[in-house]
Amino acid sequence: MRSSATWAIVAVVAIIVVVAVGVYYFYSIYKPVTTSGVTITYWQAYSPQEYSAFITKILPAFEAQYPNIHVDITNVTLSTTNYATAAAAGNAPNVYYDSSNDEGNLYSGGLLVNLKNHINSTYFNSFAPGPLSSVSQANNTVVFGLPVNENGVLMYYNKHFFPNGIPGNTSALLADLTTLNQTQHVWGFAYGVGSTYGYRFAGWLPGFGGQLFQYKTYGAPTLNTSAMINALEFWYNVTYKDHINAPLGSGAGVSFATGLEGQLFETSKAAVMFDGPWDLVPLIQALGTNLGTAPEPMVSSTGQHFAPLLGATAIAVSSSQASGATAAQINASILFAQFLASPQAELWMYNGTGDLPSNAAALSSLITSANAGTLLPSFAQSQNLTASEFSTVEKGILQQMSGYTSPTPSTPQMNYYYSGLADMHTELGLYYTNKTITAQAVASCVQAFIASNGTTVLPSCS
Amino acid sequence: MKISKYRALDAAKWVASYSIIAVVVLFAIFPLYYVVLLSFSKIPSISNITISSMIPNFSTFTLSAYQAVAASPFFMWLANSLILAFGTVIVAVLVAFIAGVALARLHVPGKKALIISLYILTFFPFTSIVIPVYLGFAHLRLLNNFLGLILIYSSGTAIFGAYMAKIFIDSVPKDYEEAAMVDGESRFRALFTILFRIARPVVVFLALIAFIGAYTDYAVINVLVTHGSLYTLMLGLYHVSATASGSQTFAVNLNIFAAFSILMGLPIIVLYIVFQKYLTQMYSVSGIK
Amino acid sequence: MKRAFSNEISDDNLKRFLTNYLYLLPIIGLVLFIFLYPIAYGVYISFTNFSLQHFFNATLIGFQNYETLFRTGVIYPIILQTLIWTVGSIIPMVLLGMLVATILNQKGFKLKVPIFTVILLPWAFPAFISLLIWVGMWNTNFGIINQFLALLGIAKVNWLFKTVPAWGALIITNLWLSFSYYTTFFLSSMQSVPDEFHESAKVDGANMFQRFSKITWPSIKGAVAFASISGFIYTWNNFYPIYLLTGGGPGTSTYSLTVYSYSQAFSFYNYSLGAALSVVSVIILAIMAVFMLKYTKVLDMIS
């Protein structure tokens, strides 16, 4: 009897606790806003360095300038899927931070506002053309986000393995890497051919005389081309015939669980990797003055450069259908987005993280300092680099960004290309490790998927 | 003569038994041994692992990975995970047990069809109903709310739990609660107080299943919770790993991931060890010796 | 006063009859609260063109999504793969669980408690994390599994990139994740067979296999059927092993219906097609489940 009474009491107490906790959270989160002015919600996925620059510099300055606008910040792990789910319930955040291509896709679904309808068009001239084009659609009558940086992939190398500097064309580079592989037993490249996704793969096409898509026509990418086949074969040979690229595996868990590319490079087990400026801080931390940067090489047989896509991370404003925002909230959101994309905010961000500005003026001031050898942002200073050492690193990055890039399209078709090729890692796997299908079949397969606008299921390539 | 043949057979049986068990134990423990070793090492990635790193070397043991975990909001995440897991245990066990009693003891016409229909409803994988769940919860203000999560987790295990409870209660002679009813307890009290006590092994089993479901969930909470203050260990682990440097090219160092995993797994392992004697009795009352 | 209808139901009986339903009310309420609306919605959107292109303006398009799946034939290999995944996983799990439980259940087996504790560990460790650990162990170049195989003189196996080894890796990983559960379940049901049965059989001169088939098996076969069927249903929908280990590859050769449905909805924002896939998946699973439950008489056991 006593024991059953105890059970009953435990159960009752437990239920009360659960209900109390539930009620507590209910009210703690859905507290009605009583402050005067406008509250807007912001989902961001900053890295720790970016978050620190945002919270210590940018946000206080914004709040000082606009005391009537209150920003409610939520940390999210970059997930366009979660954003879309929230939007389906009319529950999306007012302001959203994501890559330009994902936002282009969301815009086409009606989830984001066209900023051209809200901001004077001369304002947009302050951005560098590359980042601006990555957030524009329909012959620039649509701008769905304000870029806060510019992104592209470049070649990082370990200077320790290249005492005489790194060659600028593929035949000399591959020769060097083969020697390195044989004498020092390190991988030449750390590039995951099996887990590649469209963003990085697109960069190889121009080297073989191709283009991902016809610039300014904004149609579907064209991939059933000899450039695509040559690019596939290039990486097949480098990985499975010459064995100078580390074969890294596939599956969604690979990058999450192992981060092999970066770690092979950081631990000097690979001489070269391809990555963007967003990883500059950990790379400097790992390699210090041994970190070298250069544009991706020229393909010897064609005389053309590899040219990665130039894109951006951009601040977008949700449509009222997606977020339930009032006109006042949309206006406040636009002011906030403009503040985050201002030259001052971008330079603060650069100083803490190395994210390259999207503003033409801010960018050119960096280029000037880098050329003069006087560039030393605080993140580099804290790693004990000198201004001239760091300027050399940044010059390599800027050379890639301003010299050899392809514009990032922002049409919905791009998402089928990205997702298609990301899922296509499985198709690439068939090609790369088993060679059970031809490069031609992979190219046709990707093309067929993009051409269907994703309305058909992923075709089977084999 | 006959005896010695029997003995030889007996010895062969034991040799075979222990050899098989030795292989199974190695299979069970190796991946965990591997994680424990990594958590005490400085090994940052699988590219640094060799066979020789599988032999423990105490001179290179380091707690640096555990210190790195302690620098994250690990204990806040742990507290959230525990609130969620214990809440789920209470709701799931009560709901499943009450249903199990009804299935085993009470005359409820049509219960077979009813309970099979409910079971089939739960066949929809959560990954395919996540959007409508989100829509519904948004209207009910159950987003970013542990109550909603507890209900989802409980519904997942409740039907299976009811079946398990029913099978166990079937093995309990009816005399128990009838004796209690003769003693003047109400039918409800007799059913519950008496049966709940006798059915402790299956209750523990259901509690463990409910606990582990809530404690280790990623798919559901990733969609329904965005507030950092409500993060659980699972979201925390993902967050730490994915945003360690702001890019997917770099993941968190493997040794830190391993240390986080060990610390996160410890509470469940302790629960299993504490309750393991019940686990071998969960199937019927005659298993209790 | 006379009642117009059956005189078997007195007031008292009716009250009791209704109260008995009250006991099932919590579970009915809970399951309907969580599942009813989402499933109705899921079935509905499978008949629309809801996708990112038609996000706020989806319209009904009839059976078009289902037609796409069946006319292109893309779904047939996926169904077959789902069966390979489920049956291929469940058979070794049940067999290994049974073997280990039988060994541990022998009278006179020493160290039973510590060994059982160790065997419980894979079940007690968060599966999501275990899977990420296994991904690293299966890695072709750096994985510890290939390094061990190299010690035995076996060449590197491309575990996750070739169809047959990929299935092997998936099934072995899944076996590791689940065999503790089956061992526990079977051990627990074997312990419900009183020792005296074994003892008297031993005196009668029955050998080990005869004892198993005559005494142990009849008393545990219900448990085995129940565990296998509920395990079948669980494995059919088990998403993470495939998603994290192979992502459905190489090609589309290790996709299951659940993983494929997820990738349609969340990689391509093709929500309606993903919903159609899961409807098809549930219909197939429900037919099989009801058939299996009936055929094995588990239905009588659980209701």
Side-chain angles (χ1 to χ4, degrees), chain A residues 52-80:
Chain A
S52 155
F54 172 72
I55 212 80
T56 59
K57 300 264 190 190
I58 300 173
L59 187 63
F62 176 76
E63 284 172 338
Q65 193 173 335
Y66 299 98
N68 285 333
I69 302 177
H70 174 71
V71 186
D72 187 358
I73 297 151
T74 301
N75 293 295
V76 293
T77 311
L78 198 71
S79 173
T80 319

PDB file of all heavy atoms in Angstrom, chain A residues 52-80:
ATOM      1  N   SER A  52      30.892  37.321 -33.027  1.00  0.00           N
ATOM      2  CA  SER A  52      31.536  38.239 -32.107  1.00  0.00           C
ATOM      3  C   SER A  52      31.594  39.653 -32.699  1.00  0.00           C
ATOM      4  O   SER A  52      31.308  40.642 -32.018  1.00  0.00           O
ATOM      5  CB  SER A  52      32.919  37.678 -31.767  1.00  0.00           C
ATOM      6  OG  SER A  52      33.774  38.689 -31.392  1.00  0.00           O
ATOM      7  N   ALA A  53      31.952  39.754 -33.999  1.00  0.00           N
ATOM      8  CA  ALA A  53      31.980  41.078 -34.638  1.00  0.00           C
ATOM      9  C   ALA A  53      30.582  41.685 -34.670  1.00  0.00           C
ATOM     10  O   ALA A  53      30.398  42.887 -34.456  1.00  0.00           O
ATOM     11  CB  ALA A  53      32.537  40.964 -36.061  1.00  0.00           C
ATOM     12  N   PHE A  54      29.586  40.834 -34.926  1.00  0.00           N
ATOM     13  CA  PHE A  54      28.209  41.311 -35.010  1.00  0.00           C
ATOM     14  C   PHE A  54      27.728  41.851 -33.662  1.00  0.00           C
ATOM     15  O   PHE A  54      27.174  42.950 -33.576  1.00  0.00           O
ATOM     16  CB  PHE A  54      27.303  40.168 -35.478  1.00  0.00           C
ATOM     17  CG  PHE A  54      25.833  40.482 -35.419  1.00  0.00           C
ATOM     18  CD1 PHE A  54      25.253  41.361 -36.325  1.00  0.00           C
ATOM     19  CD2 PHE A  54      25.034  39.916 -34.434  1.00  0.00           C
ATOM     20  CE1 PHE A  54      23.895  41.659 -36.257  1.00  0.00           C
ATOM     21  CE2 PHE A  54      23.678  40.205 -34.364  1.00  0.00           C
ATOM     22  CZ  PHE A  54      23.109  41.078 -35.274  1.00  0.00           C
ATOM     23  N   ILE A  55      27.981  41.096 -32.621  1.00  0.00           N
ATOM     24  CA  ILE A  55      27.363  41.424 -31.344  1.00  0.00           C
ATOM     25  C   ILE A  55      28.119  42.539 -30.622  1.00  0.00           C
ATOM     26  O   ILE A  55      27.538  43.316 -29.870  1.00  0.00           O
ATOM     27  CB  ILE A  55      27.229  40.144 -30.475  1.00  0.00           C
ATOM     28  CG1 ILE A  55      25.996  40.222 -29.584  1.00  0.00           C
ATOM     29  CG2 ILE A  55      28.458  39.856 -29.651  1.00  0.00           C
ATOM     30  CD1 ILE A  55      24.720  39.898 -30.291  1.00  0.00           C
ATOM     31  N   THR A  56      29.429  42.647 -30.861  1.00  0.00           N
ATOM     32  CA  THR A  56      30.173  43.684 -30.141  1.00  0.00           C
ATOM     33  C   THR A  56      30.202  45.011 -30.897  1.00  0.00           C
ATOM     34  O   THR A  56      30.278  46.061 -30.286  1.00  0.00           O
ATOM     35  CB  THR A  56      31.629  43.256 -29.873  1.00  0.00           C
ATOM     36  OG1 THR A  56      32.246  42.989 -31.131  1.00  0.00           O
ATOM     37  CG2 THR A  56      31.699  42.029 -28.983  1.00  0.00           C
ATOM     38  N   LYS A  57      30.171  44.977 -32.227  1.00  0.00           N
ATOM     39  CA  LYS A  57      30.301  46.229 -32.983  1.00  0.00           C
ATOM     40  C   LYS A  57      29.013  46.602 -33.717  1.00  0.00           C
ATOM     41  O   LYS A  57      28.470  47.685 -33.529  1.00  0.00           O
ATOM     42  CB  LYS A  57      31.413  46.083 -34.041  1.00  0.00           C
ATOM     43  CG  LYS A  57      32.763  45.774 -33.479  1.00  0.00           C
ATOM     44  CD  LYS A  57      33.547  47.037 -33.318  1.00  0.00           C
ATOM     45  CE  LYS A  57      34.994  46.684 -32.985  1.00  0.00           C
ATOM     46  NZ  LYS A  57      35.792  47.794 -32.581  1.00  0.00           N
ATOM     47  N   ILE A  58      28.551  45.694 -34.570  1.00  0.00           N
ATOM     48  CA  ILE A  58      27.526  46.081 -35.531  1.00  0.00           C
ATOM     49  C   ILE A  58      26.177  46.317 -34.859  1.00  0.00           C
ATOM     50  O   ILE A  58      25.547  47.363 -35.060  1.00  0.00           O
ATOM     51  CB  ILE A  58      27.410  45.000 -36.636  1.00  0.00           C
ATOM     52  CG1 ILE A  58      28.764  44.868 -37.341  1.00  0.00           C
ATOM     53  CG2 ILE A  58      26.312  45.331 -37.631  1.00  0.00           C
ATOM     54  CD1 ILE A  58      28.854  43.736 -38.320  1.00  0.00           C
ATOM     55  N   LEU A  59      25.754  45.370 -34.022  1.00  0.00           N
ATOM     56  CA  LEU A  59      24.435  45.504 -33.414  1.00  0.00           C
ATOM     57  C   LEU A  59      24.333  46.731 -32.495  1.00  0.00           C
ATOM     58  O   LEU A  59      23.358  47.487 -32.596  1.00  0.00           O
ATOM     59  CB  LEU A  59      24.050  44.216 -32.678  1.00  0.00           C
ATOM     60  CG  LEU A  59      22.622  44.204 -32.158  1.00  0.00           C
ATOM     61  CD1 LEU A  59      21.618  44.274 -33.300  1.00  0.00           C
ATOM     62  CD2 LEU A  59      22.355  42.968 -31.311  1.00  0.00           C
ATOM     63  N   PRO A  60      25.327  46.971 -31.613  1.00  0.00           N
ATOM     64  CA  PRO A  60      25.236  48.185 -30.774  1.00  0.00           C
ATOM     65  C   PRO A  60      25.131  49.457 -31.620  1.00  0.00           C
ATOM     66  O   PRO A  60      24.354  50.364 -31.293  1.00  0.00           O
ATOM     67  CB  PRO A  60      26.527  48.164 -29.965  1.00  0.00           C
ATOM     68  CG  PRO A  60      26.960  46.747 -29.960  1.00  0.00           C
ATOM     69  CD  PRO A  60      26.489  46.158 -31.249  1.00  0.00           C
ATOM     70  N   ALA A  61      25.902  49.518 -32.714  1.00  0.00           N
ATOM     71  CA  ALA A  61      25.851  50.712 -33.559  1.00  0.00           C
ATOM     72  C   ALA A  61      24.468  50.863 -34.186  1.00  0.00           C
ATOM     73  O   ALA A  61      23.927  51.978 -34.287  1.00  0.00           O
ATOM     74  CB  ALA A  61      26.922  50.630 -34.649  1.00  0.00           C
ATOM     75  N   PHE A  62      23.894  49.745 -34.597  1.00  0.00           N
ATOM     76  CA  PHE A  62      22.561  49.809 -35.196  1.00  0.00           C
ATOM     77  C   PHE A  62      21.538  50.290 -34.175  1.00  0.00           C
ATOM     78  O   PHE A  62      20.711  51.167 -34.462  1.00  0.00           O
ATOM     79  CB  PHE A  62      22.149  48.433 -35.740  1.00  0.00           C
ATOM     80  CG  PHE A  62      20.748  48.408 -36.280  1.00  0.00           C
ATOM     81  CD1 PHE A  62      20.454  48.968 -37.514  1.00  0.00           C
ATOM     82  CD2 PHE A  62      19.710  47.867 -35.540  1.00  0.00           C
ATOM     83  CE1 PHE A  62      19.157  48.984 -38.016  1.00  0.00           C
ATOM     84  CE2 PHE A  62      18.405  47.864 -36.020  1.00  0.00           C
ATOM     85  CZ  PHE A  62      18.131  48.428 -37.261  1.00  0.00           C
ATOM     86  N   GLU A  63      21.606  49.720 -32.971  1.00  0.00           N
ATOM     87  CA  GLU A  63      20.619  50.088 -31.952  1.00  0.00           C
ATOM     88  C   GLU A  63      20.766  51.550 -31.532  1.00  0.00           C
ATOM     89  O   GLU A  63      19.781  52.208 -31.190  1.00  0.00           O
ATOM     90  CB  GLU A  63      20.733  49.151 -30.744  1.00  0.00           C
ATOM     91  CG  GLU A  63      20.101  47.792 -31.060  1.00  0.00           C
ATOM     92  CD  GLU A  63      20.343  46.758 -29.979  1.00  0.00           C
ATOM     93  OE1 GLU A  63      21.297  46.909 -29.199  1.00  0.00           O
ATOM     94  OE2 GLU A  63      19.563  45.779 -29.940  1.00  0.00           O
ATOM     95  N   ALA A  64      22.016  52.057 -31.572  1.00  0.00           N
ATOM     96  CA  ALA A  64      22.221  53.462 -31.239  1.00  0.00           C
ATOM     97  C   ALA A  64      21.592  54.345 -32.306  1.00  0.00           C
ATOM     98  O   ALA A  64      20.979  55.372 -32.007  1.00  0.00           O
ATOM     99  CB  ALA A  64      23.718  53.747 -31.111  1.00  0.00           C
ATOM    100  N   GLN A  65      21.719  53.901 -33.570  1.00  0.00           N
ATOM    101  CA  GLN A  65      21.189  54.724 -34.653  1.00  0.00           C
ATOM    102  C   GLN A  65      19.664  54.626 -34.772  1.00  0.00           C
ATOM    103  O   GLN A  65      19.006  55.598 -35.122  1.00  0.00           O
ATOM    104  CB  GLN A  65      21.858  54.307 -35.971  1.00  0.00           C
ATOM    105  CG  GLN A  65      21.609  55.303 -37.087  1.00  0.00           C
ATOM    106  CD  GLN A  65      22.427  54.960 -38.327  1.00  0.00           C
ATOM    107  OE1 GLN A  65      23.474  54.315 -38.246  1.00  0.00           O
ATOM    108  NE2 GLN A  65      21.948  55.412 -39.478  1.00  0.00           N
ATOM    109  N   TYR A  66      19.131  53.444 -34.493  1.00  0.00           N
ATOM    110  CA  TYR A  66      17.675  53.257 -34.593  1.00  0.00           C
ATOM    111  C   TYR A  66      17.109  52.754 -33.268  1.00  0.00           C
ATOM    112  O   TYR A  66      16.781  51.563 -33.143  1.00  0.00           O
ATOM    113  CB  TYR A  66      17.339  52.251 -35.703  1.00  0.00           C
ATOM    114  CG  TYR A  66      17.793  52.669 -37.081  1.00  0.00           C
ATOM    115  CD1 TYR A  66      18.979  52.179 -37.623  1.00  0.00           C
ATOM    116  CD2 TYR A  66      17.027  53.553 -37.845  1.00  0.00           C
ATOM    117  CE1 TYR A  66      19.402  52.561 -38.883  1.00  0.00           C
ATOM    118  CE2 TYR A  66      17.439  53.938 -39.110  1.00  0.00           C
ATOM    119  CZ  TYR A  66      18.635  53.445 -39.619  1.00  0.00           C
ATOM    120  OH  TYR A  66      19.039  53.827 -40.872  1.00  0.00           O
ATOM    121  N   PRO A  67      16.976  53.623 -32.296  1.00  0.00           N
ATOM    122  CA  PRO A  67      16.525  53.166 -30.971  1.00  0.00           C
ATOM    123  C   PRO A  67      15.110  52.571 -30.988  1.00  0.00           C
ATOM    124  O   PRO A  67      14.754  51.829 -30.078  1.00  0.00           O
ATOM    125  CB  PRO A  67      16.588  54.421 -30.103  1.00  0.00           C
ATOM    126  CG  PRO A  67      16.702  55.555 -31.044  1.00  0.00           C
ATOM    127  CD  PRO A  67      17.276  55.051 -32.317  1.00  0.00           C
ATOM    128  N   ASN A  68      14.329  52.850 -32.016  1.00  0.00           N
ATOM    129  CA  ASN A  68      12.960  52.326 -32.048  1.00  0.00           C
ATOM    130  C   ASN A  68      12.843  50.923 -32.627  1.00  0.00           C
ATOM    131  O   ASN A  68      11.773  50.341 -32.613  1.00  0.00           O
ATOM    132  CB  ASN A  68      12.053  53.260 -32.850  1.00  0.00           C
ATOM    133  CG  ASN A  68      11.724  54.494 -32.063  1.00  0.00           C
ATOM    134  OD1 ASN A  68      11.724  54.458 -30.835  1.00  0.00           O
ATOM    135  ND2 ASN A  68      11.487  55.599 -32.757  1.00  0.00           N
ATOM    136  N   ILE A  69      13.945  50.446 -33.178  1.00  0.00           N
ATOM    137  CA  ILE A  69      13.880  49.105 -33.766  1.00  0.00           C
ATOM    138  C   ILE A  69      14.590  48.127 -32.839  1.00  0.00           C
ATOM    139  O   ILE A  69      15.755  48.308 -32.497  1.00  0.00           O
ATOM    140  CB  ILE A  69      14.542  49.066 -35.159  1.00  0.00           C
ATOM    141  CG1 ILE A  69      13.849  50.074 -36.084  1.00  0.00           C
ATOM    142  CG2 ILE A  69      14.454  47.656 -35.750  1.00  0.00           C
ATOM    143  CD1 ILE A  69      14.471  50.173 -37.461  1.00  0.00           C
ATOM    144  N   HIS A  70      13.843  47.127 -32.419  1.00  0.00           N
ATOM    145  CA  HIS A  70      14.437  46.101 -31.566  1.00  0.00           C
ATOM    146  C   HIS A  70      14.640  44.834 -32.390  1.00  0.00           C
ATOM    147  O   HIS A  70      13.729  44.370 -33.073  1.00  0.00           O
ATOM    148  CB  HIS A  70      13.530  45.815 -30.366  1.00  0.00           C
ATOM    149  CG  HIS A  70      14.026  44.677 -29.547  1.00  0.00           C
ATOM    150  ND1 HIS A  70      15.155  44.765 -28.772  1.00  0.00           N
ATOM    151  CD2 HIS A  70      13.573  43.410 -29.416  1.00  0.00           C
ATOM    152  CE1 HIS A  70      15.373  43.609 -28.187  1.00  0.00           C
ATOM    153  NE2 HIS A  70      14.424  42.761 -28.559  1.00  0.00           N
ATOM    154  N   VAL A  71      15.870  44.278 -32.343  1.00  0.00           N
ATOM    155  CA  VAL A  71      16.155  43.079 -33.137  1.00  0.00           C
ATOM    156  C   VAL A  71      16.214  41.868 -32.217  1.00  0.00           C
ATOM    157  O   VAL A  71      16.972  41.829 -31.259  1.00  0.00           O
ATOM    158  CB  VAL A  71      17.492  43.209 -33.902  1.00  0.00           C
ATOM    159  CG1 VAL A  71      17.671  42.001 -34.822  1.00  0.00           C
ATOM    160  CG2 VAL A  71      17.527  44.488 -34.693  1.00  0.00           C
ATOM    161  N   ASP A  72      15.378  40.888 -32.536  1.00  0.00           N
ATOM    162  CA  ASP A  72      15.308  39.647 -31.767  1.00  0.00           C
ATOM    163  C   ASP A  72      16.109  38.595 -32.533  1.00  0.00           C
ATOM    164  O   ASP A  72      15.725  38.183 -33.624  1.00  0.00           O
ATOM    165  CB  ASP A  72      13.820  39.266 -31.662  1.00  0.00           C
ATOM    166  CG  ASP A  72      13.598  38.085 -30.757  1.00  0.00           C
ATOM    167  OD1 ASP A  72      14.591  37.545 -30.252  1.00  0.00           O
ATOM    168  OD2 ASP A  72      12.430  37.709 -30.568  1.00  0.00           O
ATOM    169  N   ILE A  73      17.258  38.196 -31.952  1.00  0.00           N
ATOM    170  CA  ILE A  73      18.214  37.377 -32.712  1.00  0.00           C
ATOM    171  C   ILE A  73      18.102  35.903 -32.363  1.00  0.00           C
ATOM    172  O   ILE A  73      18.024  35.542 -31.199  1.00  0.00           O
ATOM    173  CB  ILE A  73      19.651  37.848 -32.416  1.00  0.00           C
ATOM    174  CG1 ILE A  73      19.822  39.284 -32.894  1.00  0.00           C
ATOM    175  CG2 ILE A  73      20.668  36.950 -33.091  1.00  0.00           C
ATOM    176  CD1 ILE A  73      20.827  40.038 -32.102  1.00  0.00           C
ATOM    177  N   THR A  74      18.097  35.072 -33.377  1.00  0.00           N
ATOM    178  CA  THR A  74      18.109  33.620 -33.161  1.00  0.00           C
ATOM    179  C   THR A  74      19.296  33.022 -33.898  1.00  0.00           C
ATOM    180  O   THR A  74      19.495  33.278 -35.081  1.00  0.00           O
ATOM    181  CB  THR A  74      16.812  32.989 -33.697  1.00  0.00           C
ATOM    182  OG1 THR A  74      15.714  33.591 -33.020  1.00  0.00           O
ATOM    183  CG2 THR A  74      16.789  31.498 -33.439  1.00  0.00           C
ATOM    184  N   ASN A  75      20.075  32.225 -33.169  1.00  0.00           N
ATOM    185  CA  ASN A  75      21.173  31.498 -33.799  1.00  0.00           C
ATOM    186  C   ASN A  75      20.605  30.267 -34.468  1.00  0.00           C
ATOM    187  O   ASN A  75      19.919  29.485 -33.827  1.00  0.00           O
ATOM    188  CB  ASN A  75      22.153  30.989 -32.745  1.00  0.00           C
ATOM    189  CG  ASN A  75      22.861  32.119 -32.076  1.00  0.00           C
ATOM    190  OD1 ASN A  75      23.616  32.829 -32.699  1.00  0.00           O
ATOM    191  ND2 ASN A  75      22.589  32.296 -30.790  1.00  0.00           N
ATOM    192  N   VAL A  76      20.869  30.096 -35.739  1.00  0.00           N
ATOM    193  CA  VAL A  76      20.474  28.849 -36.376  1.00  0.00           C
ATOM    194  C   VAL A  76      21.685  28.263 -37.072  1.00  0.00           C
ATOM    195  O   VAL A  76      22.616  28.974 -37.413  1.00  0.00           O
ATOM    196  CB  VAL A  76      19.346  29.042 -37.413  1.00  0.00           C
ATOM    197  CG1 VAL A  76      18.060  29.466 -36.749  1.00  0.00           C
ATOM    198  CG2 VAL A  76      19.745  30.038 -38.477  1.00  0.00           C
ATOM    199  N   THR A  77      21.684  26.987 -37.236  1.00  0.00           N
ATOM    200  CA  THR A  77      22.671  26.364 -38.095  1.00  0.00           C
ATOM    201  C   THR A  77      22.088  26.540 -39.495  1.00  0.00           C
ATOM    202  O   THR A  77      20.925  26.259 -39.694  1.00  0.00           O
ATOM    203  CB  THR A  77      22.818  24.886 -37.741  1.00  0.00           C
ATOM    204  OG1 THR A  77      22.984  24.798 -36.329  1.00  0.00           O
ATOM    205  CG2 THR A  77      24.008  24.289 -38.417  1.00  0.00           C
ATOM    206  N   LEU A  78      22.898  27.050 -40.409  1.00  0.00           N
ATOM    207  CA  LEU A  78      22.406  27.398 -41.734  1.00  0.00           C
ATOM    208  C   LEU A  78      21.485  26.313 -42.262  1.00  0.00           C
ATOM    209  O   LEU A  78      21.908  25.206 -42.510  1.00  0.00           O
ATOM    210  CB  LEU A  78      23.597  27.569 -42.675  1.00  0.00           C
ATOM    211  CG  LEU A  78      23.318  28.338 -43.952  1.00  0.00           C
ATOM    212  CD1 LEU A  78      23.116  29.807 -43.638  1.00  0.00           C
ATOM    213  CD2 LEU A  78      24.467  28.164 -44.916  1.00  0.00           C
ATOM    214  N   SER A  79      20.209  26.610 -42.360  1.00  0.00           N
ATOM    215  CA  SER A  79      19.308  25.581 -42.846  1.00  0.00           C
ATOM    216  C   SER A  79      18.142  26.195 -43.582  1.00  0.00           C
ATOM    217  O   SER A  79      17.181  26.669 -42.992  1.00  0.00           O
ATOM    218  CB  SER A  79      18.805  24.727 -41.688  1.00  0.00           C
ATOM    219  OG  SER A  79      17.823  23.853 -42.173  1.00  0.00           O
ATOM    220  N   THR A  80      18.275  26.236 -44.905  1.00  0.00           N
ATOM    221  CA  THR A  80      17.222  26.781 -45.744  1.00  0.00           C
ATOM    222  C   THR A  80      15.934  25.986 -45.575  1.00  0.00           C
ATOM    223  O   THR A  80      14.839  26.526 -45.667  1.00  0.00           O
ATOM    224  CB  THR A  80      17.689  26.745 -47.208  1.00  0.00           C
ATOM    225  OG1 THR A  80      19.057  27.133 -47.239  1.00  0.00           O
ATOM    226  CG2 THR A  80      16.902  27.696 -48.061  1.00  0.00           C
TER     227      THR A  80
END
